[in-house]
Amino acid sequence: MIFFVSIFVTQFMCEKKIFYTRFFNFLILNLFLFFSVYLIFDLNYKFINFLFCLSLIFSWSGLIIHLSNSIVLSLLNLVNKNDIIHDENIFDLYNQDDKYKKRVLALINGEYLFERNNQINFNTNFKNKMILHLILFLKK
């Protein structure tokens, strides 16, 4: 239940935020609810359930990252919006440069990056550093 409540709250209440902000909120909410339930009800098998909770958290994040970065889903969405696409037009419609621009703008809106003197800089606050370390750790 904790897992599903955390998904509902972070996906529907924070839907305008980029994934990594939602994931950080999801992680904090999930762990907070987990420890609260186990402190209040004094349930057994805390360590095993905690490991299970962590596996659900990272499985969910992997699924969401995969879906948000999926080229297949982007192409299906283009076909759905345009009904009929000729093979020569699909490369024009699937503009990778625009996708990069949108992702950079999303990172700027999420306050992970900022623009100063026509340069993009990383916003070095604690939350951003922790998320960056998590991403680099999971990338290995």
Side-chain angles (χ1 to χ4, degrees):
M1 283 304 292
I2 293 167
F3 178 71
F4 292 115
V5 167
S6 299
I7 288 174
F8 178 79
V9 169
T10 55
Q11 288 297 118
F12 294 109
M13 303 297 233
C14 306
E15 67 182 284
K16 298 287 184 194
K17 295 183 179 181
I18 62 174
F19 167 74
Y20 296 108
T21 303
R22 282 182 301 178
F23 177 71
F24 186 74
N25 294 338
F26 171 72
L27 182 66
I28 297 300
L29 179 64
N30 211 316
L31 293 176
F32 173 76
L33 288 175
F34 178 83
F35 287 116
S36 299
V37 165
Y38 274 86
L39 286 175
I40 291 170
F41 296 109
D42 193 34
L43 300 172
N44 295 329
Y45 308 111
K46 291 179 180 104
F47 184 69
I48 292 171
N49 285 323
F50 179 70
L51 291 177
F52 179 68
C53 177
L54 284 180
S55 70
L56 287 175
I57 289 169
F58 290 114
S59 296
W60 177 250
S61 68
L63 175 69
I64 294 299
I65 288 172
H66 173 71
L67 290 177
S68 67
N69 293 331
S70 175
I71 293 173
V72 173
L73 290 177
S74 297
L75 290 173
L76 287 174
N77 191 26
L78 283 174
V79 172
N80 182 39
K81 286 180 183 176
N82 295 291
D83 291 329
I84 299 173
I85 298 179
H86 299 290
D87 356 353
E88 61 271 358
N89 296 346
I90 197 145
F91 293 108
D92 295 332
L93 288 172
Y94 187 75
N95 187 344
Q96 192 65 27
D97 292 334
D98 283 347
K99 289 197 171 288
Y100 289 131
K101 289 176 189 174
K102 287 178 185 177
R103 287 183 180 173
V104 169
L105 287 175
L107 289 171
I108 290 171
N109 291 337
E111 298 179 356
Y112 291 97
L113 303 175
F114 64 93
E115 186 176 357
R116 184 186 312 148
N117 301 330
N118 292 329
Q119 292 183 337
I120 303 292
N121 299 307
F122 182 69
N123 190 0
T124 55
N125 60 27
F126 178 74
K127 178 187 82 169
N128 291 352
K129 285 182 184 178
M130 293 306 296
I131 290 174
L132 181 61
H133 288 298
L134 177 66
I135 292 168
L136 292 174
F137 173 75
L138 293 175
K139 182 182 168 188
K140 293 180 181 180

